[in-house]
Amino acid sequence: MGPENFAEFISGLTVDYTPVVGDNFNHDDFVAIDLSENNPELMKLEMLSSEAFSLFLNNSLRKAGKKAAFGGYNEVRNLYKRSRLFNRNVDEFLNRNIHIGLDIWAAEGTEVLAVLEGKIHSFRDNANFGDYGPTIILEHEKNGRKFYTLYGHLSRNSLEGLKEGAKVRKSEKIAALGNSSENGDYAPHLHFQIMENLMGNIGDFPGVTSKLELEKYLCNCPDPNLLLKI
């Protein structure tokens, strides 16, 4: 491990905008979106149905002249109340409702790109309601330091033909965004996350945490925008 902390290490790997969706997207094609508990109107749409939120999002992007919306790191969301995958406790301090990846909302079928060269560590269809759906984890090593990137809410055919250990190039298409019937019942989007330690997980890693474990996960999973620079 180098002298710098993991967040500083990740930030230093790229200088400019690094694409993770759409091989023809550029920095100006994105707009920030707030899905936190501070934006109850959007959260009502998302909790109502993935279709309602998709319609709202598509209309908003079209009016703004943008291709994708992004945001959500270290964001407290009420959305996860709809799934017992995240909320099984009476104590709110223990419930998982803090998002620790970056979401990028774009059209179904949008290409998903490897942000850096590496290899396929693992993949899985995490098919629970409210889960990632099809998921790919890549393993990277830079300057003698190993780390991982996770790509969730993919299409099911994105997992076809994959092999653990297969090498991937930077900006290579590795998947496509799935629809609500295959991505955990969400509007089409990519959940992108960086992890220094997988903590024994294979084809999966928590993308939402509780207040109790927040500090641990923020240290292990720094803001993905440090790398993407959207």
Side-chain angles (χ1 to χ4, degrees):
M1 181 179 291
E4 59 193 344
N5 68 38
F6 188 45
E8 292 171 340
F9 168 77
I10 289 297
S11 182
L13 292 178
T14 56
V15 176
D16 300 312
Y17 162 69
T18 299
V20 68
V21 296
D23 61 358
N24 62 345
F25 284 27
N26 60 51
H27 181 272
D28 294 330
D29 289 322
F30 294 84
V31 63
I33 188 172
D34 177 9
L35 286 181
S36 74
E37 60 182 359
N38 298 320
N39 194 343
E41 293 307 311
L42 280 184
M43 291 308 304
K44 286 178 185 177
L45 279 170
E46 178 66 357
M47 292 182 73
L48 177 64
S49 74
S50 55
E51 291 79 9
F53 184 77
S54 293
L55 182 61
F56 169 84
L57 188 61
N58 291 339
N59 288 337
S60 298
L61 290 174
R62 185 163 51 249
K63 290 177 182 177
K66 304 295 183 180
K67 295 180 180 178
F70 75 98
Y73 180 71
N74 194 17
E75 186 173 79
V76 180
R77 294 176 171 178
N78 290 325
L79 165 64
Y80 303 111
K81 291 180 179 179
R82 70 179 188 156
S83 173
R84 285 186 56 78
L85 179 68
F86 304 103
N87 293 279
R88 300 176 180 175
N89 302 289
V90 175
D91 188 345
E92 284 295 321
F93 197 69
L94 301 177
N95 280 329
R96 296 166 56 204
N97 64 349
I98 307 173
H99 191 256
I100 51 174
L102 188 75
D103 283 340
I104 300 178
W105 308 82
E108 173 190 347
T110 298
E111 295 181 344
V112 175
L113 313 175
V115 293
L116 298 167
E117 66 177 335
K119 64 181 181 180
I120 297 175
H121 173 273
S122 52
F123 52 93
R124 179 187 297 172
D125 188 354
N126 297 290
N128 296 308
F129 175 73
D131 210 331
Y132 289 130
T135 309
I136 298 174
I137 294 177
L138 301 184
E139 179 180 318
H140 312 274
E141 187 168 344
K142 293 288 185 180
N143 303 326
R145 196 164 185 172
K146 187 181 295 185
F147 61 99
Y148 307 86
T149 54
L150 180 149
Y151 308 76
H153 306 298
L154 310 175
S155 64
R156 287 216 168 90
N157 60 18
S158 296
L159 303 186
E160 295 178 2
L162 295 186
K163 293 183 180 180
E164 292 183 1
K167 293 183 179 179
V168 295
R169 303 181 306 276
K170 180 180 179 179
S171 298
E172 177 181 347
K173 178 185 175 181
I174 59 170
L177 297 186
N179 59 42
S180 60
S181 70
E182 55 190 354
N183 74 357
D185 193 46
Y186 295 98
H189 73 288
L190 174 70
H191 175 99
F192 177 70
Q193 190 165 326
I194 303 169
M195 300 83 63
E196 183 169 32
N197 187 339
L198 282 181
M199 303 177 182
N201 288 278
I202 297 174
D204 191 15
F205 191 90
V208 181
T209 190
S210 64
K211 292 179 182 178
L212 180 66
E213 297 191 297
L214 180 59
E215 184 176 353
K216 176 182 75 172
Y217 277 103
L218 291 184
C219 289
N220 189 49
C221 306
D223 185 350
N225 207 32
L226 294 173
L227 179 67
L228 299 181
K229 295 179 169 58
I230 297 175

